[in-house]
Amino acid sequence: MSHKLRVRRVWISLIGSTVVAGAVLVAQERAPQTESIRAADLRADLFFLAGDALQGRLTGTPTNLLAGDYLKSRFERMGLKPAGPGGSFFQEYNLAIATLGDGNGLRVVRAGGPTLKLKPGQDYYPHRFSASGSAGGTIVFAGFGITAADRGYDDYRGDVRGKIVLVLNHEPGERDPNSLFDGVVTAESSSPLRKALFAQDKGAAGILFVDDVHNHPGPANFEASAATYWPPKPPRIERFTLATWMDRVRIPAAEISPALADTLLQSTGKTLADLARSSETSTGTTPVAIAGIETEITAAVNRHVVPDRNVVAAVEGSDPKLKDEAIIVCAHFDHNGADGDQIFNGADDDGSGTVGLLEIAEAYALAAHTGQRPRRSVIFAAWNSEERGLLGAWAFTERPTWPLDRIVAVLNMDMIGRNEEVQEGGGARFRGLDLQTAESNQNAVNVIGSSRSADLKAAVGDANRQIGLEIKLRYDNN
């Protein structure tokens, strides 16, 4: 499981529980066909999807396609309605990867001084999402480079048209649980690609990024970071993004070293650390012009398209009005592939959620065959490429097969096949979590998103009265 997604109104996720036969969300009375959910069926599907033959279901591989075909055949056999475009069970979209082209360059012209020709991999490197081309102009420092009208925040309270903007990585209040963004969880608006689009929308000719050194002090090994970003050998797992996102970026974008940033900022009389600290506001900043310096960026980044797809099915609601609204029940079926003889089977992450999705879908299908339909329509979505950045779910929001404003809830299941364990020294993944053992979490369900939806929190509590699991509402801000 990785990253985070909020789809329109409410989003809730279940992780880290023991699979219990018959444990599905119900209202005050038992849902129809709950008895069809059997441990033996879950096990059979899981042993196929997470078996060695599927080689870890990595994005862009034949075995990932095979997993999608299997899910499609299961939905089709259940008699569910296709929920993809053109009456298909597949929602197709494109991913993109990038390779470094020839001719990347960065020049800095100082008034009355020599022209600096910077070295790629030492002073700067282009971002993977960068557009190819050249742009030049004066430089302005624009804080964190974020525009978020819904939060009353804007780092572009000034004119940056035709200029090269220099912005900080990450976001203000990065370690503040009460941050106006998303607390200590990384906000989507702070991603570099989003910041490039913010700058582009404001008319900037290009964008440079630099570390927020006030939040990440200490010596930086920029050359090592550049070599990690653009490794000399292709990585085992490619760095994917959505092609639709990458296609929107029309300006060159590059990362520069903190040392170069301090050189650029000399005429302001302030250091990078000074300006970074002054950017920690709750409303945004006014861009600071950097006098006496112009720069020219040339980016050469090759974009390569990789087809991808989700698997989507539906059962139509029974209420003449409410059937136009939908609830999504979902899980992701991709994982991390294989490295030689080592297979990353992904039985829990998220084979467990995927087989849970299949069993829930089958219960709904069996009930529909006997005339017992839900009032609202229900979409069953098996997302792809979640491990690559929630890309299948993001692709759905880019070109939804159901109007987003008529999706009233999303129930996502990720890692419901084992009891959570948090060992001492567990690292950043478990930042801020208490030590936990499998025994302490036996028959427990972690529910994420309850702070965003009182209705779904109540529904989970109502359903659990008949089941008796321990509901743990503890991960919303981790």
Side-chain angles (χ1 to χ4, degrees):
M1 182 183 70
S2 60
H3 306 282
K4 164 185 68 170
L5 176 64
R6 271 189 280 177
V7 179
R8 212 55 184 232
R9 296 188 184 176
V10 288
W11 177 91
I12 196 162
S13 181
L14 308 181
I15 69 169
S17 71
T18 301
V19 173
V20 178
V24 295
L25 290 183
V26 292
Q28 295 300 324
E29 58 185 43
R30 193 169 182 82
Q33 298 297 330
T34 298
E35 66 281 356
S36 72
I37 300 176
R38 295 183 292 265
D41 295 341
L42 290 158
R43 182 182 178 89
D45 281 327
L46 185 61
F47 270 59
F48 175 74
L49 287 169
D52 287 354
L54 262 66
Q55 293 284 298
R57 311 182 302 282
L58 180 65
T59 292
T61 64
T63 55
N64 179 279
L65 289 173
L66 180 59
D69 287 340
Y70 179 77
L71 296 172
K72 179 255 186 184
S73 69
R74 294 281 281 109
F75 284 150
E76 191 171 35
R77 185 178 178 183
M78 293 172 194
L80 292 171
K81 179 181 177 182
S88 172
F89 284 97
F90 294 120
Q91 181 198 23
E92 298 180 344
Y93 53 90
N94 287 328
L95 303 179
I97 58 175
T99 55
L100 199 57
D102 297 326
N104 286 282
L106 180 62
R107 294 193 316 137
V108 174
V109 181
R110 295 185 291 185
T115 296
L116 302 178
K117 292 184 178 181
L118 290 313
K119 295 182 179 179
Q122 179 177 317
D123 300 305
Y124 78 95
Y125 57 83
H127 272 278
R128 285 186 289 269
F129 57 79
S130 174
S132 291
S134 297
T138 57
I139 305 175
V140 293
F141 175 77
F144 284 94
I146 296 174
T147 295
D150 59 327
R151 304 171 197 236
Y153 186 95
D154 190 4
D155 281 318
Y156 290 99
R157 301 175 187 273
D159 187 7
V160 299
R161 285 175 293 181
K163 296 178 171 60
I164 306 297
V165 296
L166 172 61
V167 304
L168 298 167
N169 290 324
H170 306 124
E171 64 192 66
E174 181 183 351
R175 295 186 175 90
D176 180 5
N178 298 313
S179 163
L180 82 155
F181 288 95
D182 292 322
V184 297
V185 176
T186 302
E188 175 62 24
S189 56
S190 72
S191 74
L193 189 148
R194 298 291 184 195
K195 290 184 181 184
L197 293 175
F198 294 147
Q200 180 175 287
D201 290 344
K202 296 293 183 177
I207 184 168
L208 301 174
F209 296 84
V210 67
D211 272 346
D212 48 336
V213 294
H214 66 302
N215 285 329
H216 301 272
N221 189 338
F222 186 80
E223 290 186 48
S225 298
T228 299
Y229 193 90
W230 291 108
K233 294 182 179 180
R236 181 181 73 84
I237 300 178
E238 296 284 1
R239 282 77 175 264
F240 293 94
T241 190
L242 282 183
T244 54
W245 288 350
M246 192 174 278
D247 289 345
R248 288 181 191 146
V249 180
R250 302 185 302 275
I251 61 175
E255 187 82 18
I256 67 172
S257 70
L260 175 57
D262 270 323
T263 299
L264 298 177
L265 295 169
Q266 283 179 352
S267 67
T268 67
K270 296 182 179 180
T271 66
L272 172 62
D274 293 334
L275 287 172
R277 280 189 289 268
S278 68
S279 300
E280 288 283 351
T281 76
S282 60
T283 59
T285 59
T286 300
V288 177
I290 302 173
I293 283 186
E294 291 194 1
T295 188
E296 181 179 287
I297 315 170
T298 299
V301 177
N302 302 317
R303 299 173 176 178
H304 309 274
V305 171
V306 179
D308 206 29
R309 61 188 186 177
N310 297 318
V311 190
V312 286
V315 59
E316 188 177 24
S318 62
D319 187 285
K321 294 182 179 179
L322 291 179
K323 70 178 183 179
D324 291 335
E325 295 181 350
I327 292 170
I328 296 179
V329 181
C330 55
H332 75 89
F333 67 90
D334 66 294
H335 195 59
N336 290 328
D339 188 3
D341 293 335
Q342 184 179 9
I343 299 173
F344 303 99
N345 299 82
D348 190 31
D349 188 8
D350 185 28
S352 60
T354 302
V355 299
L357 172 66
L358 288 174
E359 286 298 296
I360 292 171
E362 185 172 46
Y364 272 91
L366 290 170
H369 292 159
T370 64
Q372 295 176 291
R373 292 180 176 272
R375 290 184 299 163
R376 291 179 175 85
S377 296
V378 180
I379 297 171
F380 305 100
W383 307 126
N384 206 351
S385 300
E386 189 269 0
E387 299 292 355
R388 311 281 67 84
L390 299 172
L391 297 180
W394 275 118
F396 182 89
T397 68
E398 287 288 319
R399 294 179 180 173
T401 63
W402 196 280
L404 291 182
D405 60 357
R406 294 181 185 174
I407 296 172
V408 298
V410 177
L411 175 67
N412 180 61
M413 296 174 291
D414 204 348
M415 299 189 297
I416 61 171
R418 67 180 176 189
N419 298 326
E420 182 80 287
E421 292 184 281
V422 179
Q423 300 176 0
E424 189 171 0
R429 177 181 177 187
F430 299 114
R431 180 179 61 190
L433 299 185
D434 295 333
L435 298 181
Q436 301 169 35
T437 64
E439 290 75 17
S440 72
N441 286 320
Q442 188 172 6
N443 291 321
V445 174
N446 294 304
V447 178
I448 300 176
S450 62
S451 63
R452 300 189 185 103
S453 174
D455 289 345
L456 276 180
K457 181 179 178 181
V460 169
D462 289 343
N464 191 49
R465 291 195 183 101
Q466 299 185 36
I467 302 167
L469 295 172
E470 182 181 2
I471 304 297
K472 298 190 174 184
L473 312 174
R474 59 184 180 181
Y475 285 176
D476 275 18
N477 205 34
N478 177 268

